[in-house]
Amino acid sequence: MALSLPIYMDHAATTPCDPRVVEAMLPYFTEKFGNAGSRNHRFGWDAEAGIDAARDAAARLIGASEKEIIFTSGSTESNNLAIKGAAYMYEKAPAGSKSRGHIVTCSIEHKAVLDPVKRLVKEGFDATFIDPPADGVITAEMVQKALRDDTILVTIMWANNEIGTINDVRGIGKLCKERGILFHTDATQWTGKMPTNVDADHIDLLSWSGHKIYGPKGVGALYVRRHRPRVRLQALQDGGGQERGFRSGTLNITGIVGFGKACEIALNEMEADAIRLGRLRQKLEQGLTSQLDSCAINGRADGRLPHITNISFGFVEGEGLMMAVKNIACSSGSACTSASLEPSYVLKGLGVGDELAHSSLRLSLGRGTTEEQVDYAIAEIVKAVKKLRTMSPLYDMHKEGIDLSKVEWAHH
Ligand SMILES: *Cc1c(COP(=O)(O)O)cnc(C)c1O
């Protein structure tokens, strides 16, 4: 069968909806369109039954109880609610005094964590942004060093969206529990792909999102622990008091039903998916690194998600590389800001130089990825990198054995 182009290798950015998810959602657009808040008629009860089933599936995926699940519009909102909601609820001192409390996070979190924390800093909270080591993995020891007497919250992602590295969530959770500090994790890249249990890992708050796990966009959830401790949050939005007051607004029933179905499928299939994708990822990495010299896989080898790889290719120019592999839908190590292409702050955070960051590709596999697509990606990328290197004088010098770090460059 002919390969349909372009191929999709950007599942860390978003995933297609599983057809079983779409099928589950359809009745809730039309015959079961009621408002789950309508207590007096069939339409409302049908909607509520759909929500209940979704809540049950979401809770089961993470080893929680249904009462601990708050539906949101996705991980960005879940992170905002967890981080700001906890900070406002547990702040140590009134606004205007020296510090309202301290928050610990890390400098390679997603913007949906970094920016809420930065907002709190502007409002008078203190924060420590832990810099990762070169392998990208945050350990309990690093978090311990950052804790203070006035620390309210630790927020550390479970797995990194750019490089797929996995942090020591269990160790960090245990540490926070011992110190009586709330622990939130942005589990958007982890939950639904890998086993999640909020009790085993001592998690108080956990965010995840529908569209990263083959569900619809615009829906996600926040887990809020109810026992030992009972976590309270200040709501960020006032209104009808839905979701036990944590998140007012008429429930997005179609989205939530789809999210629930995606959680149910994930629980049943993630193990098989992870094994299959892990093999394909290994094949991809091996295919590239065996045929190309001067390329490096970013992030600790044995602590990564099975379906994400991030590779820097030396002696190629980043924009040229992206152009040359345009039949492979993937992400580059450059981030578009309004004016220019900036190297990824995650790769920079690991100590990857600007040039190499620009010439990096994040390839992320998913349920629809085939062996044939992986073969195609290997061949295309090898071809592109080899071709670009024929145009690189630096690569010639490198091959002649000139140590480029010792060359004195003329600066203009
Ligand atoms: C995608 C992603 C988000 C944002 O999730 P949305 O549901 O799109 O708001 C947050 N954190 C991580 C790690 C992500 O990968």
Side-chain angles (χ1 to χ4, degrees), residues 288-305:
L288 294 171
T289 55
S290 65
Q291 293 179 68
L292 295 169
D293 59 84
S294 305
C295 54
I297 295 167
N298 295 307
R300 188 164 98 191
D302 63 351
R304 283 183 296 141
L305 290 172

Side-chain angles (χ1 to χ4, degrees), residues 12 74-76 79 110 112 157 161 186 188-189 209 211-212:
S75 282
T76 301
N79 290 344
H110 193 277
M157 70 200 322
N161 49 297
D186 175 352
T188 313
Q189 295 290 345
S209 181
H211 76 101
K212 303 286 175 85

